[in-house]
Amino acid sequence: MRKLLGAVAATAAAAAGLAVATPAQASTTACDLVTGRSVGYSANMLYVGVGLEGCSNSVTEVYVELQKADSASGPYTTVAATNAYSGGGAWFDGGTGCGYYIGVAHWQDQTETTPNPAYYCN
């Protein structure tokens, strides 16, 4: 089961445009937090791809919020939040209703937002 979940997360991260890292000890030297271009949808769930670039051994936890709005220009409110491993994705239950979604990732003193709002109705 763990291999299956790892494969699903790796596929989602690759689809979101992130390089998929292999698990290793975390290092915080010169790491830049990145997100996918938009919130994705797979297996009846929404996901946000997250990663750390510019550092070796960058697998560590990243806090990710799923935010929703009635229009692409906002305002956005947080509808769910979870931790995810960098190089993978944060997965959210797809039953949050119709609207525009963005992902907001937080790690140490960095915050990154998916640049393209995505509309989903579920």
Side-chain angles (χ1 to χ4, degrees):
M1 182 65 164
R2 216 174 219 183
K3 285 185 178 182
L4 175 61
L5 290 175
V8 171
T11 302
L18 293 175
V20 179
T22 32
Q25 284 188 307
S27 169
T28 59
T29 308
C31 297
D32 291 320
L33 178 63
V34 295
T35 65
R37 298 205 41 79
S38 64
V39 172
Y41 181 80
S42 179
N44 294 322
M45 296 181 80
L46 300 174
Y47 66 88
V48 178
V50 295
L52 294 171
E53 292 183 345
C55 56
S56 61
N57 303 330
S58 62
V59 176
T60 190
E61 282 191 345
V62 175
Y63 182 72
V64 183
E65 299 173 8
L66 180 67
Q67 296 187 358
K68 178 181 167 187
D70 292 331
S71 73
S73 59
Y76 285 87
T77 57
T78 300
V79 293
T82 191
N83 288 318
Y85 286 104
S86 63
W91 292 83
F92 301 96
D93 181 9
T96 52
C98 299
Y100 290 88
Y101 290 90
I102 60 171
V104 181
H106 305 277
W107 181 74
Q108 292 186 349
D109 62 345
Q110 300 179 46
T111 299
E112 289 294 327
T113 303
T114 54
N116 301 323
Y119 184 84
Y120 294 105
C121 196
N122 46 25

